[in-house]
PDB file of all heavy atoms in Angstrom:
ATOM      1  N   GLU A1347     -13.224  28.732   8.885  1.00  0.00           N
ATOM      2  CA  GLU A1347     -13.274  29.422  10.241  1.00  0.00           C
ATOM      3  C   GLU A1347     -14.011  30.695  10.112  1.00  0.00           C
ATOM      4  O   GLU A1347     -13.916  31.553  10.899  1.00  0.00           O
ATOM      5  CB  GLU A1347     -11.992  29.592  10.908  1.00  0.00           C
ATOM      6  CG  GLU A1347     -10.885  30.193  10.052  1.00  0.00           C
ATOM      7  CD  GLU A1347      -9.606  30.291  10.662  1.00  0.00           C
ATOM      8  OE1 GLU A1347      -9.421  30.089  11.868  1.00  0.00           O
ATOM      9  OE2 GLU A1347      -8.501  30.520   9.888  1.00  0.00           O
ATOM     10  N   GLY A1370     -12.388  25.951  12.669  1.00  0.00           N
ATOM     11  CA  GLY A1370     -11.866  26.781  13.760  1.00  0.00           C
ATOM     12  C   GLY A1370     -13.018  27.474  14.497  1.00  0.00           C
ATOM     13  O   GLY A1370     -13.714  28.265  13.904  1.00  0.00           O
ATOM     14  N   ALA A1371     -13.154  27.262  15.727  1.00  0.00           N
ATOM     15  CA  ALA A1371     -14.313  27.671  16.482  1.00  0.00           C
ATOM     16  C   ALA A1371     -14.157  29.198  16.854  1.00  0.00           C
ATOM     17  O   ALA A1371     -15.142  30.023  16.695  1.00  0.00           O
ATOM     18  CB  ALA A1371     -14.466  26.969  17.791  1.00  0.00           C
ATOM     19  N   GLU A1372     -13.028  29.633  17.339  1.00  0.00           N
ATOM     20  CA  GLU A1372     -12.883  30.980  17.876  1.00  0.00           C
ATOM     21  C   GLU A1372     -12.984  32.026  16.778  1.00  0.00           C
ATOM     22  O   GLU A1372     -13.547  33.002  16.881  1.00  0.00           O
ATOM     23  CB  GLU A1372     -11.598  31.142  18.645  1.00  0.00           C
ATOM     24  CG  GLU A1372     -11.458  30.094  19.823  1.00  0.00           C
ATOM     25  CD  GLU A1372     -12.716  29.981  20.639  1.00  0.00           C
ATOM     26  OE1 GLU A1372     -13.331  31.022  20.911  1.00  0.00           O
ATOM     27  OE2 GLU A1372     -13.018  28.806  21.008  1.00  0.00           O
ATOM     28  N   ASP A1373     -12.175  31.791  15.660  1.00  0.00           N
ATOM     29  CA  ASP A1373     -12.258  32.703  14.562  1.00  0.00           C
ATOM     30  C   ASP A1373     -13.718  32.736  13.932  1.00  0.00           C
ATOM     31  O   ASP A1373     -14.095  33.870  13.502  1.00  0.00           O
ATOM     32  CB  ASP A1373     -11.247  32.313  13.475  1.00  0.00           C
ATOM     33  CG  ASP A1373      -9.887  32.927  13.715  1.00  0.00           C
ATOM     34  OD1 ASP A1373      -9.716  34.138  13.599  1.00  0.00           O
ATOM     35  OD2 ASP A1373      -8.987  32.144  14.038  1.00  0.00           O
ATOM     36  N   LEU A1374     -14.330  31.622  13.897  1.00  0.00           N
ATOM     37  CA  LEU A1374     -15.738  31.642  13.419  1.00  0.00           C
ATOM     38  C   LEU A1374     -16.587  32.531  14.190  1.00  0.00           C
ATOM     39  O   LEU A1374     -17.343  33.404  13.587  1.00  0.00           O
ATOM     40  CB  LEU A1374     -16.228  30.166  13.407  1.00  0.00           C
ATOM     41  CG  LEU A1374     -17.734  30.013  13.120  1.00  0.00           C
ATOM     42  CD1 LEU A1374     -17.984  30.472  11.696  1.00  0.00           C
ATOM     43  CD2 LEU A1374     -18.207  28.578  13.339  1.00  0.00           C
ATOM     44  N   ILE A1375     -16.608  32.338  15.484  1.00  0.00           N
ATOM     45  CA  ILE A1375     -17.503  33.170  16.314  1.00  0.00           C
ATOM     46  C   ILE A1375     -17.072  34.630  16.202  1.00  0.00           C
ATOM     47  O   ILE A1375     -17.975  35.479  16.220  1.00  0.00           O
ATOM     48  CB  ILE A1375     -17.456  32.602  17.812  1.00  0.00           C
ATOM     49  CG1 ILE A1375     -17.955  31.263  17.911  1.00  0.00           C
ATOM     50  CG2 ILE A1375     -18.235  33.598  18.670  1.00  0.00           C
ATOM     51  CD1 ILE A1375     -19.362  31.017  17.444  1.00  0.00           C
ATOM     52  N   ALA A1376     -15.841  34.933  16.209  1.00  0.00           N
ATOM     53  CA  ALA A1376     -15.395  36.310  16.128  1.00  0.00           C
ATOM     54  C   ALA A1376     -15.864  36.914  14.803  1.00  0.00           C
ATOM     55  O   ALA A1376     -16.235  38.076  14.776  1.00  0.00           O
ATOM     56  CB  ALA A1376     -13.864  36.343  16.247  1.00  0.00           C
ATOM     57  N   SER A1377     -15.810  36.156  13.736  1.00  0.00           N
ATOM     58  CA  SER A1377     -16.181  36.625  12.413  1.00  0.00           C
ATOM     59  C   SER A1377     -17.670  36.984  12.328  1.00  0.00           C
ATOM     60  O   SER A1377     -18.097  37.767  11.483  1.00  0.00           O
ATOM     61  CB  SER A1377     -15.852  35.609  11.329  1.00  0.00           C
ATOM     62  OG  SER A1377     -16.848  34.545  11.308  1.00  0.00           O
ATOM     63  N   THR A1381     -19.022  36.305  21.022  1.00  0.00           N
ATOM     64  CA  THR A1381     -18.002  36.479  22.113  1.00  0.00           C
ATOM     65  C   THR A1381     -17.432  35.163  22.654  1.00  0.00           C
ATOM     66  O   THR A1381     -16.384  35.216  23.291  1.00  0.00           O
ATOM     67  CB  THR A1381     -18.629  37.261  23.304  1.00  0.00           C
ATOM     68  OG1 THR A1381     -19.717  36.573  23.818  1.00  0.00           O
ATOM     69  CG2 THR A1381     -19.091  38.627  22.844  1.00  0.00           C
ATOM     70  N   SER A1382     -18.102  34.030  22.430  1.00  0.00           N
ATOM     71  CA  SER A1382     -17.488  32.831  22.920  1.00  0.00           C
ATOM     72  C   SER A1382     -18.062  31.591  22.091  1.00  0.00           C
ATOM     73  O   SER A1382     -19.353  31.689  21.849  1.00  0.00           O
ATOM     74  CB  SER A1382     -17.898  32.651  24.372  1.00  0.00           C
ATOM     75  OG  SER A1382     -17.471  31.394  24.861  1.00  0.00           O
ATOM     76  N   SER A1383     -17.272  30.648  21.905  1.00  0.00           N
ATOM     77  CA  SER A1383     -17.755  29.387  21.107  1.00  0.00           C
ATOM     78  C   SER A1383     -18.355  28.389  21.992  1.00  0.00           C
ATOM     79  O   SER A1383     -18.975  27.545  21.659  1.00  0.00           O
ATOM     80  CB  SER A1383     -16.615  28.782  20.367  1.00  0.00           C
ATOM     81  OG  SER A1383     -15.568  28.268  21.217  1.00  0.00           O
ATOM     82  N   ARG A1384     -18.195  28.582  23.371  1.00  0.00           N
ATOM     83  CA  ARG A1384     -18.545  27.606  24.372  1.00  0.00           C
ATOM     84  C   ARG A1384     -19.547  28.153  25.393  1.00  0.00           C
ATOM     85  O   ARG A1384     -19.517  29.294  25.737  1.00  0.00           O
ATOM     86  CB  ARG A1384     -17.348  26.943  25.082  1.00  0.00           C
ATOM     87  CG  ARG A1384     -16.507  26.233  24.074  1.00  0.00           C
ATOM     88  CD  ARG A1384     -15.260  25.607  24.835  1.00  0.00           C
ATOM     89  NE  ARG A1384     -14.348  24.964  23.854  1.00  0.00           N
ATOM     90  CZ  ARG A1384     -14.312  23.746  23.581  1.00  0.00           C
ATOM     91  NH1 ARG A1384     -15.221  22.890  24.050  1.00  0.00           N
ATOM     92  NH2 ARG A1384     -13.432  23.201  22.722  1.00  0.00           N
ATOM     93  N   TYR A1390     -19.634  23.123  23.396  1.00  0.00           N
ATOM     94  CA  TYR A1390     -19.774  24.137  22.287  1.00  0.00           C
ATOM     95  C   TYR A1390     -21.168  24.659  22.180  1.00  0.00           C
ATOM     96  O   TYR A1390     -22.188  23.902  22.473  1.00  0.00           O
ATOM     97  CB  TYR A1390     -19.436  23.436  20.954  1.00  0.00           C
ATOM     98  CG  TYR A1390     -17.991  23.349  20.723  1.00  0.00           C
ATOM     99  CD1 TYR A1390     -17.340  22.197  20.392  1.00  0.00           C
ATOM    100  CD2 TYR A1390     -17.171  24.582  20.604  1.00  0.00           C
ATOM    101  CE1 TYR A1390     -15.946  22.125  20.111  1.00  0.00           C
ATOM    102  CE2 TYR A1390     -15.831  24.498  20.350  1.00  0.00           C
ATOM    103  CZ  TYR A1390     -15.228  23.282  20.051  1.00  0.00           C
ATOM    104  OH  TYR A1390     -13.910  23.213  19.781  1.00  0.00           O
ATOM    105  N   VAL A1416      -8.729  23.155  17.703  1.00  0.00           N
ATOM    106  CA  VAL A1416      -7.836  23.179  18.819  1.00  0.00           C
ATOM    107  C   VAL A1416      -8.718  23.382  20.167  1.00  0.00           C
ATOM    108  O   VAL A1416      -9.860  23.845  20.039  1.00  0.00           O
ATOM    109  CB  VAL A1416      -6.837  24.368  18.828  1.00  0.00           C
ATOM    110  CG1 VAL A1416      -5.949  24.198  17.602  1.00  0.00           C
ATOM    111  CG2 VAL A1416      -7.491  25.688  18.783  1.00  0.00           C
ATOM    112  N   VAL A1418      -8.562  25.253  23.566  1.00  0.00           N
ATOM    113  CA  VAL A1418      -7.789  26.396  23.952  1.00  0.00           C
ATOM    114  C   VAL A1418      -7.515  26.458  25.498  1.00  0.00           C
ATOM    115  O   VAL A1418      -6.638  27.144  25.938  1.00  0.00           O
ATOM    116  CB  VAL A1418      -8.453  27.742  23.579  1.00  0.00           C
ATOM    117  CG1 VAL A1418      -8.466  27.834  22.096  1.00  0.00           C
ATOM    118  CG2 VAL A1418      -9.848  27.887  24.161  1.00  0.00           C
TER     119      VAL A1418
END
Side-chain angles (χ1 to χ4, degrees):
E1347 51 185 345
E1372 305 313 321
D1373 274 291
L1374 170 65
I1375 297 301
S1377 76
T1381 59
S1382 174
S1383 67
R1384 296 181 185 266
Y1390 279 123
V1416 299
V1418 298

